[in-house]
Amino acid sequence: MSRRPRITVFGTGYLGTAHATCLASLGFRVLGVDIAAGRIAALEAGRLPFYEPGLEPLLRKGLRSGRLGFTTSYPSAAEFGDVHFICVGTPQRPGAPGADLSQFEACFAGLAPLLRRPCLVVGKSTVPPGTAAGYAQRLPVIAPAGAGAELAWNPEFLREGHAVADTLRPDRIVAGVWSDRAEATLRMVYAEPIAAGVPFLATDPATAELVKAAANAFLATKISFINAMAEVCEVTGADVLSLAVALGRDPRIGDAGLRPGLGFGGGCLPKDLRALAAGAAELGAGQALSFLHEIDAINGRRRTRLVDLAREAAGGRLEGRRVGVLGLAFKPGSDDIRDSPALEVAARIRAQGARVAAFDPAAMDLARRVHPDLDYAGSVLGAARDADVLLLLTEWPEFSTADPEVLAKTVARRTVVDARHALDAAVWRACGWDYRAPGRPGTARARGISDDLGTGDSGTPDREDDGITGTGDAELSQAAVACLAAAS
Ligand code: UDX
């Protein structure tokens, strides 16, 4: 293919919309395709149907340039495109751990019979191991173009809230290809990031699809590892924040993904972890990944532990108590409430008879639809009003900078549970708050190394700034380093 390929992107969720918009910004002609007419109409009008910082202006720019368009028509898309990216959702099957590939199957089955000229179909959705090979066999049989229609796999690694940056400058581009032609085409699509130094890793499709699943499983494992250590900290009196900093300083471990707290949620990590374990088991490699069930279980325990902490903080019962909740999205910078730890904790506390007033900067509308039983406040102050206990469940920056002195005047009792370690414990305590956080001693401080965390204790009056980590922390650090290094 000598001219610039024309591109279609099937599925206009976070991934597909970001991919289509970013490729248009790089000068490609791009058509986004979806069966949801309402979504396509919104995108055509320059409106994002979800929250993603920085994406809407780029979408409007693409539309204005005439290079970016949207359609519900598969025949138009098949006629238009040289490279067809499939970015549809692969959610968890209802009531089962495996992936529901019905959207992928419907997209493939709708597109393949329309492919009359040479083209590349590129799977981008996250799928269980072994998926690409099956579709690669079927494609030339179903497509009128025969062997001219080829399959490749090119997983995405974008994080919600960072979709534009992660799409334009990913850490790496992984291209799973069966032919030089497919590799050359993908190199053309990604010429700009490759020229900017992004590594292009060409491999076979079976490996490419597994890279994505394995990356998510590894990230989830890291998060659950530090959260499991938080459980140990709670029985030894060690401090999980100091521990995380000390672990992260080992270059073999690194500090990314070691933020302890309420654990992982969202539309990717939890379901991809389960789909990988279930897929491997179906292929006879279940034992190899049986540890992923424990990773999932540790993650689930965080939510239970937080409800318990809230109950303890509320004086031993939740019934009749007023609980202020800060944060509902599964992470800051997103309105996504899929498998959100924050929303689940809020709902469980409500189910135990507490009155819950919640505030989130972005996720209120979506949360209200799923949980009309919660009260929704218009601000941090509104959520805190008359609260017996205040919970920070998602670490939005505006929560970390909230003034504990001002909040102290609005709550009924100055008790805060900081599930994400986002508040400055010393400052809050200095304002008379009973500050609690999972994995942290009730009275001890993260000493000496806590500045590294950015959000931890920092040079405040009641801090014991002796530059020495407590003995319990150091012992546990060593044990944890050895354990994680052995696992990796
Ligand atoms: C993730 C992967 O990072 C991305 O590469 C993949 O393409 C899709 O899934 P995302 O779901 O957007 O992206 O969120 P991420 O930033 O990875 O966070 C996932 C969850 O883990 C969030 O709930 C977050 O709060 C939690 N988390 C993350 C922690 O609890 N501790 C950490 O140290 C990091």
Side-chain angles (χ1 to χ4, degrees):
M1 198 178 297
S2 51
R3 68 174 167 83
R4 272 193 145 192
R6 285 197 308 230
I7 290 166
T8 72
V9 178
F10 288 76
T12 55
Y14 288 98
L15 165 62
T17 303
H19 193 58
T21 303
C22 288
L23 287 181
S25 82
L26 294 178
F28 291 96
R29 291 184 59 199
V30 185
L31 197 52
V33 193
D34 208 298
I35 53 168
R39 182 169 276 255
I40 289 297
L43 289 166
E44 276 178 319
R47 281 195 322 274
L48 269 190
F50 50 83
Y51 178 91
E52 180 60 46
L55 189 54
E56 201 165 85
L58 212 57
L59 167 72
R60 293 193 175 155
K61 213 170 149 191
L63 291 168
R64 277 200 306 274
S65 74
R67 287 193 301 272
L68 179 62
F70 292 92
T71 184
T72 54
S73 164
Y74 272 44
S76 310
E79 178 59 33
F80 175 87
D82 303 305
V83 182
H84 304 282
F85 284 99
I86 302 186
C87 298
V88 296
T90 51
Q92 189 173 334
R93 259 183 245 154
D100 173 0
L101 294 180
S102 59
Q103 291 178 51
F104 195 94
E105 174 59 28
C107 180
F108 178 86
L111 175 65
L114 303 171
L115 299 174
R116 303 187 183 286
R117 60 189 170 79
C119 61
L120 189 64
V121 177
V122 187
K124 246 181 147 33
S125 307
T126 306
V127 291
T131 304
Y135 283 106
Q137 273 174 12
R138 285 167 60 197
L139 184 58
V141 180
I142 303 175
E150 207 185 319
L151 192 86
W153 216 268
N154 167 222
E156 59 75 30
F157 303 97
L158 70 82
R159 295 159 301 161
E160 290 181 24
H162 304 267
V164 174
D166 285 357
T167 305
L168 290 173
R169 285 290 176 274
D171 299 322
R172 71 290 205 195
I173 296 162
V174 177
V177 291
W178 272 281
S179 75
D180 292 345
R181 181 175 71 113
E183 182 180 335
T185 303
L186 285 174
R187 280 186 182 276
M188 222 184 287
V189 171
Y190 293 115
E192 199 273 349
I194 293 170
V198 174
F200 181 91
L201 311 173
T203 181
D204 56 273
T207 305
E209 68 184 2
L210 194 55
V211 170
K212 173 60 192 288
N216 275 356
F218 193 87
L219 291 172
T221 301
K222 241 182 140 179
I223 297 166
S224 275
F225 181 89
I226 197 64
N227 282 330
M229 287 300 154
E231 292 183 27
V232 180
C233 285
E234 287 186 7
V235 295
T236 59
D239 186 322
V240 73
L241 283 194
S242 298
L243 178 74
V245 171
L247 286 176
R249 281 297 169 91
D250 184 329
R252 293 167 302 171
I253 295 174
D255 58 5
L258 272 192
R259 273 194 339 273
L262 196 44
F264 56 82
C268 291
L269 293 195
K271 63 106 178 158
D272 289 348
L273 187 74
R274 293 169 200 148
L276 176 59
E282 274 171 32
L283 296 171
Q287 200 183 4
L289 297 185
S290 62
F291 74 97
L292 292 182
H293 299 296
E294 191 53 35
I295 300 304
D296 202 11
I298 294 166
N299 195 51
R301 281 206 299 273
R302 300 318 293 159
R303 304 175 188 195
T304 307
R305 174 71 185 128
L306 218 285
V307 175
D308 292 346
L309 264 181
R311 191 185 310 100
E312 284 162 26
R317 69 178 170 90
L318 284 165
E319 202 180 352
R321 299 289 196 225
R322 298 178 82 96
V323 178
V325 162
L326 303 181
L328 295 166
F330 86 104
K331 69 172 191 180
S334 169
D335 65 350
D336 199 341
I337 52 162
R338 286 175 294 171
D339 204 348
S340 167
L343 186 57
E344 185 180 329
V345 166
R348 282 165 69 172
I349 288 173
R350 171 77 192 100
Q352 293 189 28
R355 179 124 189 238
V356 175
F359 173 70
D360 187 285
M364 304 271 276
D365 290 345
L366 289 173
R368 199 179 273 118
R369 275 185 234 161
V370 188
H371 277 291
D373 51 325
L374 304 178
D375 293 335
Y376 292 91
S379 63
V380 172
L381 220 55
R385 190 157 299 130
D386 298 328
D388 295 304
V389 55
L390 189 61
L391 309 179
L392 188 151
L393 302 181
T394 311
E395 67 277 32
W396 285 93
E398 43 267 72
F399 299 160
S400 315
T401 52
D403 187 340
E405 231 175 295
V406 174
L407 286 172
K409 292 183 191 131
T410 199
V411 292
R413 289 176 62 232
R414 296 179 188 187
T415 306
V416 63
V417 180
D418 180 6
R420 296 290 187 177
H421 307 289
L423 304 177
D424 190 323
V427 170
W428 281 66
R429 285 188 178 126
C431 292
W433 287 79
D434 173 2
Y435 173 92
R436 306 176 187 204
R440 302 203 72 187
T443 51
R445 306 284 178 274
R447 286 175 293 177
I449 54 175
S450 56
D451 287 348
D452 294 9
L453 288 157
T455 53
D457 304 353
S458 59
T460 40
D462 70 337
R463 178 172 157 199
E464 301 160 57
D465 201 355
D466 55 9
I468 301 165
T469 306
T471 321
D473 298 342
E475 280 169 1
L476 194 54
S477 263
Q478 248 182 4
V481 167
C483 192
L484 192 55
S488 64

